[in-house]
Amino acid sequence: MQLVQTNLQVNFQRRSISATPPLNHPPLPKPPKMSIKALLEKHRPDLAPYEELYKNLHQNPGLSLQEHLAASTAASHLRSLPDFDVRTDIGGTGLIGILKNGDGPTILLRADTDALPVKELTGLPYASQKREVDIEDGVEKPVMHACGHDMHITCMLAAASTLSSSRSEWKGTLIILFQPNEERGAGAKAMIADGLYSPSKHACPVPDIVLGQHVMPFASGEVGTRIGSFASAADSFRVTVYGRGGHASQPHRTIDPVVLAAHIVVRLQTVVSREVDPREAAVVTVGSVQAGMTENIIADEAVIKINVRTVTPETRTRVLAAIKRIVKAECEASGSPKPPYWESTSSFPFTINDEQTTKTVQEAFTSYFGYKHNPSCNPLGGSEDFAVLATEAPNEKVEGGKGVPYCYWVFGGVDPDVWGEREKEGRLEDVPINHSAYFAPVLSPTLKTGVDALVVGALGFLGKGG
């Protein structure tokens, strides 16, 4: 997940945003004959082996497009379960497991699998020491599961085992999907483009509902849901601005791209503070500025990497236009010999939870988790490509011919005692967040909570047929 902020109140003006046209929801089946709690106690596997599986994944992460261990581990586990039809190599290392269990709705559960170019500093006995060459740019980098995707994989595999074991208690079709390349915002699109739902290619049954979750830095054992806008859109760019290089002792005979880039960076700080409605939320971050190789040469060009987060389409349009206007104007003011060169490096859609689908999940969560379920948690500051798996699903019943309902929720990964202490001290900023070199979910009760949330969410729709 692309993360900007967590545990902060994000205030924004509610707008009318629709991720898909009005959707047709499948009728809800009868609930399982056995209570959800009893079902989980009977069918949830011993989680000790899954803790070891998690440690192995954590210690051996794979960068985006290189999630080979995660994919092989997931495929092998699903094939070990009765009646799962496993299909691999979808949009890269993506895969699905299909479990058909009579008439009923089709529910897709999604987990992401990629890691990040971060050097781990957690000090855990199973901390990653791995380095690998990133196939995107050919550069060797440290690798860490700094966003919790290893926890997502492990929870999903245990949930698949639970739902497989409890087949007598529900009816319908279950799809377990493992998606690569979430961190760069391209994995879901790649699976769709590779024919995920195409009858002539991978032939994944078209889901009626798509569900997913993310581990976050709040108290373990708790879960959070929200109707409507839940995660921001994200747009990232690599912008090259041009100067005229030369000797550092003769700046009057050059056009310094470093000075040009510096002016752009400073001016971009005014986009949110002076051009965005204070009731809205937006973030503009310059994460990288690169120019030159040594101190006595003025370079010919500078490269600026910009990341933008917005929560409404109107603000997204305004902010992106402001950034391009500022870059263009600063280049002209510096006498740049040619226009800037723009490259889009990633783009994440809005995540907007369907109201009826989310209400169903909320009812199931409140019944099972009780007060540890927050049905109005804060929106994420980060971004996800999860929604693409739903918004691009074929659906002849809606305008445009595609789009099914979805719900995305969060669950906590911080030791509850640690969280309580930091909250009491007013020092929640000391809790490591996603993408930090120190981020590592506590194994218990995080794993159990994530497993139970997936099972309870799915059974809210699958229930008991007949």
Side-chain angles (χ1 to χ4, degrees):
M1 181 189 65
Q2 291 288 321
L3 185 71
V4 178
Q5 57 187 2
T6 57
N7 308 317
L8 300 177
Q9 180 65 43
V10 181
N11 295 314
F12 57 87
Q13 185 178 17
R14 289 183 177 271
R15 299 286 179 85
S16 176
I17 311 172
S18 178
T20 61
L23 302 170
N24 294 320
H25 298 80
L28 296 182
K30 300 173 184 178
K33 292 179 180 178
M34 184 183 297
S35 74
I36 297 294
K37 183 177 181 180
L39 182 151
L40 282 163
E41 291 302 317
K42 179 179 180 180
H43 294 286
R44 185 197 308 111
D46 176 10
L47 294 181
Y50 289 89
E51 291 186 0
E52 295 307 309
L53 184 153
Y54 166 81
K55 291 176 183 178
N56 186 49
L57 290 172
H58 188 87
Q59 201 165 28
N60 298 280
L63 291 171
S64 299
L65 303 174
Q66 297 165 235
E67 312 91 339
H68 304 295
L69 176 64
S72 63
T73 299
S76 176
H77 184 88
L78 291 177
R79 287 181 173 130
S80 73
L81 300 175
D83 303 322
F84 262 100
D85 176 4
V86 181
R87 302 171 191 180
T88 61
D89 303 318
I90 307 174
T93 61
L95 67 130
I96 54 173
I98 305 165
L99 179 58
K100 295 184 177 180
N101 191 36
D103 294 334
T106 298
I107 305 301
L108 187 153
L109 302 180
R110 173 267 204 180
D112 40 13
T113 60
D114 53 336
L116 288 158
V118 174
K119 180 175 175 58
E120 182 163 355
L121 299 175
T122 62
L124 291 168
Y126 51 89
S128 171
Q129 301 296 323
K130 186 175 179 181
R131 296 181 64 88
E132 68 180 358
V133 175
D134 190 338
I135 63 173
E136 184 180 59
D137 57 16
V139 177
E140 184 180 87
K141 302 171 182 178
V143 192
M144 176 190 175
H145 267 300
C147 201
H149 295 186
D150 47 351
M151 181 61 71
H152 300 172
I153 299 164
T154 309
C155 290
M156 187 66 79
L157 292 176
S161 294
T162 305
L163 289 164
S164 173
S165 175
S166 62
R167 293 192 302 283
S168 62
E169 294 298 319
W170 59 268
K171 294 294 183 182
T173 297
L174 173 70
I175 304 162
I176 303 294
L177 183 146
F178 291 93
Q179 180 210 305
N181 201 15
E182 183 276 335
E183 294 293 354
R184 294 172 183 166
K189 293 176 185 176
M191 293 187 77
I192 296 293
D194 193 30
L196 172 66
Y197 297 124
S198 171
S200 61
K201 192 70 182 289
H202 299 291
C204 177
V206 176
D208 294 304
I209 300 289
V210 177
L211 304 175
Q213 64 178 10
H214 206 295
V215 63
M216 296 296 289
F218 59 89
S220 181
E222 299 181 6
V223 295
T225 58
R226 184 184 184 90
I227 293 171
S229 183
F230 193 63
S232 63
D235 299 280
S236 294
F237 304 94
R238 181 187 294 112
V239 185
T240 304
V241 295
Y242 300 97
R244 183 169 62 239
H247 201 287
S249 68
Q250 301 180 58
H252 60 292
R253 301 185 67 177
T254 71
I255 297 174
D256 192 338
V258 174
V259 175
L260 166 57
H263 279 292
I264 291 171
V265 172
V266 172
R267 186 60 186 267
L268 288 179
Q269 308 311 305
T270 68
V271 173
V272 174
S273 66
R274 290 296 176 268
E275 300 195 41
V276 173
D277 187 325
R279 295 168 294 180
E280 292 280 350
V283 178
V284 176
T285 298
V286 178
S288 174
V289 181
Q290 300 172 334
M293 299 296 291
T294 188
E295 72 279 0
N296 66 343
I297 299 173
I298 293 174
D300 288 304
E301 62 184 44
V303 176
I304 308 168
K305 295 181 180 179
I306 305 171
N307 180 258
V308 182
R309 311 294 172 128
T310 50
V311 296
T312 64
E314 298 88 347
T315 300
R316 187 183 200 179
T317 299
R318 178 185 290 273
V319 168
L320 294 180
I323 291 170
K324 292 185 177 182
R325 185 192 73 234
I326 287 170
V327 172
K328 179 176 182 291
E330 290 294 349
C331 287
E332 292 175 351
S334 294
S336 184
K338 58 181 177 179
Y341 179 68
W342 291 80
E343 299 171 85
S344 175
T345 54
S346 69
S347 180
F348 290 79
F350 296 102
T351 300
I352 304 167
N353 283 335
D354 175 71
E355 181 175 2
Q356 184 173 327
T357 302
T358 305
K359 283 182 177 179
T360 300
V361 171
Q362 289 175 333
E363 289 172 5
F365 280 6
T366 297
S367 176
Y368 181 75
F369 292 107
Y371 73 92
K372 291 190 176 182
H373 167 229
N374 179 0
S376 56
C377 70
N378 292 335
L380 298 178
S383 306
E384 259 286 347
D385 68 345
F386 155 84
V388 172
L389 297 170
T391 59
E392 294 297 318
N395 187 352
E396 295 180 354
K397 298 178 180 178
V398 300
E399 183 180 351
K402 60 184 180 180
V404 299
Y406 64 85
C407 177
Y408 195 69
W409 64 82
V410 290
F411 64 111
V414 180
D415 184 307
D417 292 336
V418 172
W419 178 264
E421 290 172 6
R422 298 296 176 269
E423 190 172 36
K424 185 177 180 180
E425 295 166 356
R427 299 289 302 177
L428 288 178
E429 65 270 22
D430 292 342
V431 176
I433 64 174
N434 305 68
H435 292 209
S436 162
Y438 298 93
F439 181 77
V442 63
L443 279 171
S444 179
T446 307
L447 178 57
K448 178 178 177 292
T449 302
V451 174
D452 290 359
L454 288 167
V455 173
V456 171
L459 290 179
F461 300 94
L462 293 168
K464 174 66 176 178

